Each structure stands twice: as C-alpha cells, then as structure tokens.
Amino acid sequence: MEIIHVSAECYPVAKAGGLGDVVGALPKYQNHAGHIAKVVMTMYKTKFLLNHEWAVVHKGYTNLGHWWFTYTIIKEATNVLGFDLYLVDINGLLDREKIYGYEDDAERFTAFQICVVDWISAWEHHPDVIHVHDYHAGLIPFMLKHCFRYQHLKNIPTVLTIHNAQYQGWMGWEKSNLLPAYDEWKRGMLDWKNNINPLASGIKCAWKVTTVSHSYMDELRVAANGLEALFEYEKGKCSGILNGIDNAVWDPSTDTYIENHFSVDDADAGKLKSKKLLCETFDLDITKPLIVFIGRLVGEKGADLLPQAIADSYFHIGRTMNFLILGSGFPEVESALEGMKVLAQKDYNAYIGYNESLSHLMYAGADFILMPSRVEPCGLNQMYAMRYGTVPMVRNTGGLRDTVIDYGDEGGYGIRFNYVSVGDITQAVWRAVELYKDEEKLKEIRKTMMQLDFSWEASVKQYVALYESL
Ligand code: ADP
Ligand code: GLC
C-alpha cells in the first residue's frame, strides 16, 4: 500500500512537539511492515536541511488567490530516515527558520497544501491513501473532493489524524479566495461558526478521522475548543489509535544523547549516573528525589500551575525533593519559573528553551516526571519516561489515562491525579516523595515500566486496517 503523510513537522527535520516525533516514526514502521509510506512536509531552514543532500523531483507553477508562483519539491537523497521525505519549497513563504508563529501562517500552510495536491495531481498513478495530520493539512480532503481542478483525485481515500484539536487554523472568509476554485454549494464544508476552519473542514471531508488515544476521542465530544457538536455528529467515522514511541531513538541502552547507558537489569545504577550529571549541572542535591517537567509551558500542559505547586510542595511537604524544569512557552510562565531560581536551596532549577539532548538526559536521570495536563491527546513524554525507568505523575486525562495505571491499583506503576489543581499536584508530589523512600517498591515499578510495550507495531496494524477498510 502506498501511503502519503502530509504534515508540518517531522523529526529530526523539524519538530516543535509530539507531532514531529509521530510523523518521524509512523512511516518508518509502516515501511518495516511492508508498505510504502512517504512524508511530504513544508520546507524550513533547519540544520537538517543544510546538512543533507537533496534532489529536485518536481517543479510546478500554481496560484494562491491572485498570486502565481513557482514551487519546488525536493527529496532527501539518501533515505536516511527510513522513508522517502519530500519538502515543499516556495520562495519567500516556506524557506523560513521557524515552523509556526508568522503572521501569514494561513497563507503559508494553504499554499503548502495546494502545492502538495498540485504535485500529486501530476503523478501518473494515485497513492492508496493520503494521510493528513492536524489543521496544517486539514484542507486537503476538501480540495480533493470539491475543488474543480482536482476532481480526478476525488477517489483517493483520505485520513485525518488529530494530534491536537485546540489549534484549528481559523481564518476569515475574506481568505476564501486563497483556495483553488471550488463548488460554492460546498461552502459549508469549510465553515465552522462563520470562519473557514481547516480542522473542522478536515473532520467533515476526510474519509476517516483518528485521534491519538481512545480517551481523547471520547473527551472531544464534550471539550474540543468549540468543535464538540461536530465530533458528536461525525462520531461514526472517528476512532482513537494510540501513538507508539520510536524504540530505536528512545532506548536507554543506545541513546546517543546520553553517556551512561543502561537497561532493565542495571537501571538503578545507570540512572544514578545521569542523575549525578544533572545534579552537578543544575546545582541540585542528589540525595533527594528528582521531579522533572519537560514540555511546552502553556495552559494545556498545566504549566501555569507549576510555580505555585512547587512553592506549596516545599511549604507542606518540606524541601525534600528537587524540581528541574525544561520548557518554553508563555512569557509570564517562563519568567515565573526563571524567577524562582533565586529562592532555590540546591533543590530547584529551570532551563527555559528547547534542548533535545537535555530532554534525553532528563528522561534518563530523573526519578519522576510531572505532567499536570489540562488536555493531553496522547502525550509521549510519559512513554519515553517509562522506557527510561522514570515514574510518570500524570493527570487522569486523554492519552495519560490510557497509558498510566496508578501504582495503588492492581498492576500499576505510575501516579495519577484527577484535577488540574495546585492541591492535586502537591498531593502527587507527596506520594512521589513517599514512594522514593520505599526503594524496593521503586525498583519493582521501574522494572515493570521499562518492560511495557509502547512500540509502533500495534498502532501500525490499526492504521493499516483502517486504510484497508477504505
Ligand atoms: P506536545 O506535542 O503536546 O508538546 P508530546 O508529549 O506529544 O507533547 O511531545 C512532546 C515532545 O517534545 C517530546 O518529545 C518532548 O521531549 C519534546 N519537548 C517538549 N518541550 C521540549 C523542550 N523544551 N526541549 C526539548 N524537548 C522538548
Ligand atoms: C500533540 C498532543 C500530544 C501528542 C502529540 C503527538 O502535540 O498535544 O498529546 O502526544 O500531538 O500525537
């Protein structure tokens, strides 16, 4: 089966979060399973672009409204990723450094999608399925179905995977002229609450819709940033498929980002070496449990509660634990976390920014990872952490609920709490501190977690079954 993934991120080419990890791994494992999976993404000026060889495979001429432009499709020449990777280059629009956050993002991602469909329409054959990810590729199912110039592609099945329904790509109707001419009777297929909503359009027009965990799919029918009714209406074609993790990249016995490798049998000693390195680097007390947070410092992740929850933990439990934060996001959260450094007593530090290699060291050296997410469609951090023997402390939501069982329950290994509140986080911290004192229990939990199977194989089977049903 030939599967074309369309995405704005793909690790290690460009990654802002879990979307990049998933699109960098799923196609590789689909290829391992005997399929031909390819990725098409937007081009950015990243290190990966500069350090690899590229072959031009297509040059096209198309339009974004009144603006006619030439685009180029380049392909990574050595197949270093384990799948064919194609980048869409549009001079001035897609050759920029950041992935998101420009004023003309609507134009950038609409032009990207037009180029993808335009390019595929020039092929001599049709792929078996076009699999689009998040709103950045959400208009493609509409284009294939309702834009006049792509009618010859309308029988290609489309699947939309929603990694995060908070971001929908809304744009005003004045931008409708950016799209290739379409059947005006089908305006409703673009619209949600009087805006063009690319994610809503994808949900309406894709043949099947998936999200990255079962629980998140259920939650979307009651909380989906305004799309609840649409999820309820379209539930017949929606399903949840849990993400996997790339065990080749995330393996404590081979991870190229860490010096002290370990596996299940020598996890305690191996983790301690990484913890030592972290404690030396960040001036922390190695005798105390190390609780880390890694992620985007935004409301969805509950990051705004961290400063108060840390202060309350010190106050109610005592300064018996370390906290180390890695992340970037809302400036006010960044500065609150940065500001707390002055009060640290060898038990708190924060690295504000994005740092891939530090994140690996933290998964390896931490004792606990805190994820007080308000919304977590899947969450990869907890799965990486568990593979590295680090106990997840998670809010009972979305993919966190589907992957972490509380250690108080039968067969459990993590710490779960119900509310995104300072009180619940503080109580989870107290439970972590208590668990840390029970060395035997912690050892047993580490062992259990490190042997859990979150590999991609199971999810690949479910995706393939879904494609086959189309
Ligand atoms: P999301 O995609 O919502 O941000 P996920 O848990 O799915 O959340 O994936 C987050 C990914 O991004 C993980 O690979 C995590 O290690 C990584 N990550 C997030 N923030 C940072 C950071 N500041 N530095 C390094 N890696 C980060
Ligand atoms: C999104 C979600 C995250 C998920 C990731 C990969 O960024 O916020 O929970 O793990 O996509 O699917």
Side-chain angles (χ1 to χ4, degrees):
M1 198 179 290
E2 185 182 16
I3 308 140
I4 310 300
H5 291 276
V6 187
S7 170
E9 294 179 38
C10 175
Y11 177 83
V13 193
K15 161 177 164 181
L19 169 65
D21 285 346
V22 171
V23 178
L26 171 61
K28 183 164 76 180
Y29 290 95
Q30 288 179 328
N31 283 348
H32 288 182
H35 302 283
I36 303 168
K38 304 174 175 179
V39 173
V40 192
M41 70 177 271
T42 18
M43 193 191 87
Y44 313 100
K45 273 193 192 155
T46 62
K47 269 193 205 150
F48 189 95
L49 178 77
L50 303 174
N51 297 340
H52 287 77
E53 284 173 37
W54 301 90
V56 173
V57 293
H58 181 77
K59 268 190 184 293
Y61 187 61
T62 189
N63 67 309
L64 181 72
H66 300 301
W67 181 54
W68 284 84
F69 61 93
T70 309
Y71 67 93
T72 311
I73 309 280
I74 57 175
K75 181 181 174 211
E76 200 281 322
T78 60
N79 203 291
V80 67
L81 300 178
F83 51 83
D84 288 346
L85 169 74
Y86 300 89
L87 303 182
V88 178
D89 177 18
I90 306 170
N91 263 339
L93 212 56
L94 297 184
D95 51 348
R96 304 198 194 154
E97 273 163 25
K98 284 194 300 178
I99 304 178
Y100 314 113
Y102 295 102
E103 269 183 10
D104 57 353
D105 275 358
E107 283 77 8
R108 292 171 69 229
F109 288 112
T110 307
F112 162 62
Q113 296 174 80
I114 293 171
C115 294
V116 173
V117 179
D118 213 75
W119 174 44
I120 293 175
S121 74
W123 294 11
E124 280 168 10
H125 72 287
H126 286 171
D128 295 298
V129 59
I130 299 183
H131 188 157
V132 301
H133 297 265
D134 275 354
Y135 87 81
H136 325 102
L139 291 170
I140 289 181
F142 175 87
M143 288 190 210
L144 296 183
K145 272 190 170 160
H146 304 303
C147 288
F148 298 119
R149 69 187 191 209
Y150 303 129
Q151 284 304 288
H152 56 297
L153 303 178
K154 74 172 177 205
N155 291 328
I156 304 177
T158 49
V159 172
L160 164 69
T161 292
I162 300 172
H163 298 260
N164 197 331
Q166 295 299 110
Y167 304 102
Q168 301 170 5
W170 315 268
M171 48 181 150
W173 269 101
E174 74 282 358
K175 297 214 189 235
S176 63
N177 71 324
L178 297 178
L179 287 164
Y182 56 87
D183 180 354
E184 277 291 333
W185 286 97
K186 298 292 189 283
R187 271 173 78 89
M189 291 291 154
L190 290 170
D191 186 82
W192 193 254
K193 298 186 178 162
N194 295 325
N195 278 309
I196 295 180
N197 183 317
L199 189 72
S201 172
I203 297 166
K204 293 176 190 187
C205 298
W207 294 28
K208 289 280 181 192
V209 176
T210 68
T211 58
V212 287
S213 71
H214 296 276
S215 290
Y216 186 54
M217 189 87 250
D218 294 340
E219 288 168 11
L220 285 173
R221 297 211 292 275
V222 288
N225 204 5
L227 299 185
E228 300 77 13
L230 181 59
F231 279 105
E232 182 61 36
Y233 182 76
E234 295 285 10
K235 66 183 174 203
K237 68 174 179 191
C238 296
S239 60
I241 299 182
L242 189 71
N243 286 332
I245 61 172
D246 191 341
N247 280 339
V249 175
W250 298 93
D251 181 348
S253 65
T254 54
D255 190 325
T256 48
Y257 287 109
I258 60 174
E259 284 168 26
N260 301 295
H261 294 129
F262 59 90
S263 45
V264 189
D265 297 329
D266 58 356
D268 298 320
K271 284 182 72 65
L272 194 61
K273 287 184 191 153
S274 292
K275 182 174 175 180
K276 187 160 178 270
L277 199 58
L278 283 172
C279 289
E280 281 165 8
T281 315
F282 290 100
D283 195 24
L284 302 168
D285 179 349
I286 192 163
T287 62
K288 295 176 183 173
L290 174 56
I291 302 174
V292 300
F293 174 96
I294 301 171
R296 295 181 289 120
L297 300 175
V298 298
E300 269 174 65
K301 303 285 179 193
D304 48 312
L305 298 183
L306 288 174
Q308 191 59 47
I310 293 171
D312 275 27
S313 297
Y314 290 148
F315 183 74
H316 293 295
I317 309 165
R319 300 193 83 123
T320 52
M321 74 302 281
N322 298 301
F323 290 97
L324 178 60
I325 315 287
L326 165 62
S328 58
F330 286 155
E332 56 275 35
V333 179
E334 289 185 355
S335 58
L337 291 168
E338 188 74 39
M340 287 173 66
K341 285 184 186 176
V342 291
L343 300 173
Q345 299 172 17
K346 284 175 89 57
D347 53 10
Y348 174 83
N349 216 328
Y351 179 107
I352 304 300
Y354 189 93
N355 188 328
E356 188 75 28
S357 91
L358 176 59
S359 76
H360 286 242
L361 182 63
M362 287 169 70
Y363 290 119
D367 299 301
F368 299 91
I369 185 165
L370 177 60
M371 300 180 72
S373 306
R374 289 192 174 83
V375 184
E376 197 60 83
C378 176
L380 300 173
N381 295 14
Q382 80 280 12
M383 296 196 263
Y384 298 148
M386 290 193 274
R387 186 112 208 275
Y388 287 65
T390 298
V391 182
M393 302 159 63
V394 304
R395 178 173 168 243
N396 199 1
T397 188
L400 300 175
R401 180 207 296 268
D402 293 356
T403 52
V404 178
I405 305 175
D406 190 276
Y407 82 89
D409 295 336
E410 208 187 318
Y413 38 80
I415 295 177
R416 264 173 45 166
F417 51 95
N418 284 327
Y419 298 101
V420 190
S421 68
V422 168
D424 266 32
I425 300 173
T426 310
Q427 204 206 0
V429 171
W430 174 75
R431 291 186 69 204
V433 171
E434 290 302 302
L435 176 57
Y436 187 76
K437 290 181 195 157
D438 188 345
E439 275 181 33
E440 280 315 303
K441 183 76 188 165
L442 186 59
K443 251 187 198 156
E444 180 195 314
I445 286 180
R446 271 191 188 147
K447 210 169 195 162
T448 310
M449 289 186 311
M450 290 181 74
Q451 288 172 320
L452 294 171
D453 182 9
F454 292 116
S455 59
W456 269 107
E457 277 76 10
S459 322
V460 164
K461 277 194 193 131
Q462 294 174 57
Y463 277 118
V464 170
L466 184 79
Y467 303 150
E468 277 168 355
S469 74
L470 304 178

